[in-house]
Amino acid sequence: MSSIKLFHGSNVIVEKPQILENGYYKDFGYGFYCTHIEKQAKRWALSKRKNHIVNQYNYTENSNLQMKIFTEMTEEWLAFIVNCRRGIKHSYDIVEGAMADDTIWDYIEDYMNQKISKPAFWELVKFKYPTHQIVFCTEKALTALNFEGSYSL
């Protein structure tokens, strides 16, 4: 089993991650969102009104967990995000792939509302920088995450 360093941007230190269902549907549904891109976690932390904190974790892969990994943005990735943003639940413990940030989400809404075509959507979503998110969607999945510390920005 391999281990990966992950980051979570927040306004608090999160030693024991939890899955919070807050009524706001995200790319891959409810869960605890992390990334292996530290700069991205810093951007997440800086989006908070006060207290900009980056939490660090060690994630040990667990073959007993149900995982869905999107290695690139595809039709399947798009459909999965649309379903999750509509509140349709999935059965995965962990989902990993590119983010649909606010700009991308605007394009997804335009596509869903038939304001732009699918080819136009794919042209618009070309990223200026890489993104990554890994979402721990179940309590079982959270056991694969070990808190290593945090720092303030």
Side-chain angles (χ1 to χ4, degrees):
M1 284 194 242
S2 64
S3 67
I4 301 166
K5 188 172 196 171
L6 295 176
F7 305 93
H8 172 81
S10 184
N11 61 347
V12 295
I13 295 171
V14 184
E15 289 185 43
K16 295 185 186 217
Q18 298 176 348
I19 297 165
L20 304 175
E21 294 193 14
N22 63 6
Y24 173 70
Y25 299 118
K26 297 183 179 180
D27 289 356
F28 296 150
Y30 293 122
F32 185 71
Y33 281 70
C34 294
T35 180
H36 62 68
I37 303 171
E38 188 172 5
K39 184 177 182 179
Q40 181 178 304
K42 289 178 182 179
R43 283 194 300 269
W44 289 345
L46 290 170
S47 72
K48 307 303 178 192
R49 292 194 176 169
K50 59 181 181 175
N51 300 331
H52 313 291
I53 298 171
V54 175
N55 295 278
Q56 301 172 45
Y57 304 89
N58 182 29
Y59 161 58
T60 304
E61 293 180 351
N62 180 340
S63 60
N64 294 323
L65 298 174
Q66 294 294 319
M67 296 182 66
K68 180 66 179 171
I69 300 173
F70 295 100
T71 57
E72 57 187 24
M73 292 188 312
T74 62
E75 299 283 335
E76 183 185 14
W77 170 87
L78 174 59
F80 194 90
I81 288 177
V82 166
N83 285 340
C84 288
R85 290 278 185 143
R86 288 180 170 160
I88 299 170
K89 295 189 178 195
H90 58 78
S91 60
Y92 296 104
D93 295 306
I94 295 175
V95 182
E96 181 175 4
M99 284 177 33
D101 63 13
D102 291 340
T103 302
I104 301 300
W105 178 242
D106 288 343
Y107 299 147
I108 289 173
E109 282 188 324
D110 287 346
Y111 167 71
M112 289 169 46
N113 295 326
Q114 300 178 346
K115 292 180 180 176
I116 61 172
S117 67
K118 194 176 284 185
F121 168 81
W122 288 116
E123 189 59 35
L124 289 166
V125 298
K126 291 180 181 174
F127 289 109
K128 294 181 172 91
Y129 54 88
T131 63
H132 170 264
Q133 60 189 349
I134 180 168
V135 185
F136 298 82
C137 305
T138 63
E139 295 297 326
K140 182 179 171 184
L142 288 175
T143 64
L145 254 164
N146 296 305
F147 181 73
E148 291 196 332
S150 62
Y151 62 90
S152 296
L153 299 176

